[in-house]
Amino acid sequence: MTGTRYQTDALIIGGGVIGCAIAYELAKAGVKALVLEKETLGSQSTRAGAGMLGAQVEMMEPGPFFELGIKSRALFPNLQEELRELSGIDMELQTPGIFRVAVDEADRAALLARQSWQTAAGQRAVWFEDEELRSELGDLLTPKFGALYLPDDHQVRNPQLLLALAASAKRLGVQFIEQTAMVGFLEENGAVVGVKTIEGEVRANRVILAAGAWTGLIANQLGLELPIYPVRGQSFLLDSFAPPTPFTIYTHGCYILPKRNGQVYVGATEEPQAGFDRRPNLRSLAVLSTQAINLFPSIGQLPFAAPLAGLRPGSRDGLPFLGPVPGIEGLYLASGHFRNGVLLSAITGRVIAELLTGNAPSVDLTPFAVDRKVVPQTADTTPTHSI
Ligand SMILES: Cc1cc2nc3c(=O)[nH]c(=O)nc-3n(C[C@H](O)[C@H](O)[C@H](O)COP(=O)(O)OP(=O)(O)OC[C@H]3O[C@@H](n4cnc5c(N)ncnc54)[C@H](O)[C@@H]3O)c2cc1C
């Protein structure tokens, strides 16, 4: 089928947490928007993700990325209220905080250094020695080197956040088309004016690529070389009526998050070598469960609920790409959020909406510009959580 099927102002490719957050903010700003999703909303990386708003636990150094995370985290309490009011859906924001448990002397030293720069940057970060940690966390096995407590790093339940964003955006007029992939761009005089799907064309004044790990492949159709690539992450859910702790416990290679619905989320592997294969496998889940039981033995008794796997949108320098694509009128990028797309969804939605409505973005987007010089992360700076 050919011909124009839909016409919109802003067309968002990808209905993950990033695409839906952009759709919501655009709708709030009065922009007519449409989301095109090749499968179902939130069914990819967003569904597999843990939901940590880890603006401190995930950040290895001060700088623009850290500041972006802090700004985004601060938006969630209000966002939760707004979305609940519009959609009746609660993203299940939980605020007891995250313990980052040290695994050895080197890890302890790095965490103490992190405490000092994060405190200097005005964030709360409290050191717990082992005795205090045991009295707070009970049967946690690993602590021999202390832990950094980050009381302001929160978490949400991803499927709930996604539903709340999509339902609110829909309520404000956003159109969603699922089970329909974009297969090519519509171009006129060097500008992108829409996309092709097998169901027909979707024409738009602006197109925003928010297709997660697939964004690089899509941009390639225009001859763009984007350093965005899939990084498979595996995790699993356990059933529990009363999770063993209200805190998120995070250590090298493994973290445990108690969810408000009673389930316990255990994550996560980091497997760039898997390419676009998003199936979970027994070996990775076996290693991850051993790590989790070593960290927190009581969870070994909990019934297994489900394995999860998703492709994080990795970026070679660890930073997302946010903003217009220079030289291609009408095309914008919002992708490459890697391990922190849920955390960064709120600020991403906001800045893309600001750009599209002609307002100055509330964050300096220079470090995240599409045409920045990408300096690949070294082994030392890449967070190592692979197994
Ligand atoms: C195991 C694991 C744990 C994680 N934990 C956390 C965490 O605790 N905190 C955090 O902040 N982040 C976490 N993340 C990362 C986070 O989930 C991602 O950064 C985020 O979901 C990316 O969102 P997205 O919308 O860019 O991508 P996705 O959710 O993958 O959405 C992209 C969408 O684009 C669609 N698409 C692709 N190609 C096309 C096409 N041609 N046409 C139409 N649609 C298309 C896809 O079907 C998909 O639905 C985790 C990820 C994993 C895998």
Side-chain angles (χ1 to χ4, degrees), residues 250-281:
Y250 186 127
T251 193
H252 219 58
C254 178
Y255 48 76
I256 295 170
L257 284 84
K259 292 292 175 183
R260 261 224 339 245
N261 70 344
Q263 288 190 315
V264 176
Y265 180 105
V266 179
T269 69
E270 214 176 89
E271 303 166 275
Q273 68 282 5
F276 282 93
D277 182 350
R278 54 183 206 240
R279 295 168 298 176
N281 65 49

Side-chain angles (χ1 to χ4, degrees), residues 22 82 154 202 251 274 320 342:
I22 295 169
E82 272 177 31
H154 307 322
V202 185
T251 193
V342 176

Side-chain angles (χ1 to χ4, degrees), residues 185-187 192 209 217-224 325 328 331:
F185 287 96
L186 296 174
E187 292 174 80
V192 164
L209 296 185
L217 289 181
I218 293 174
N220 215 258
Q221 297 175 27
L222 290 169
L224 293 170
V325 178
I328 305 183
L331 189 64

Side-chain angles (χ1 to χ4, degrees), residues 13-19 36-54 158 180-183 210-214 218 231-235 255 257 265 267-269 308-313 334-344:
I13 307 298
V17 71
I18 297 297
L36 190 66
E37 165 54 50
K38 76 176 161 73
E39 299 193 18
T40 53
L41 297 179
S43 56
Q44 302 306 315
S45 190
T46 297
R47 180 173 164 272
M52 266 181 290
L53 307 180
N158 290 8
T180 307
M182 75 153 276
V183 293
W214 293 267
I218 293 174
V231 182
R232 185 172 67 192
Q234 299 189 52
S235 53
Y255 48 76
L257 284 84
Y265 180 105
T269 69
L308 296 168
L311 304 178
R312 301 178 185 91
S335 190
H337 296 77
F338 192 33
R339 297 174 58 91
N340 293 292
V342 176
L343 164 67
L344 298 174

Side-chain angles (χ1 to χ4, degrees), residues 286-301:
V287 177
L288 192 57
S289 8
T290 305
Q291 284 181 311
I293 292 169
N294 284 340
L295 178 65
F296 214 140
S298 68
I299 67 161
Q301 311 301 324

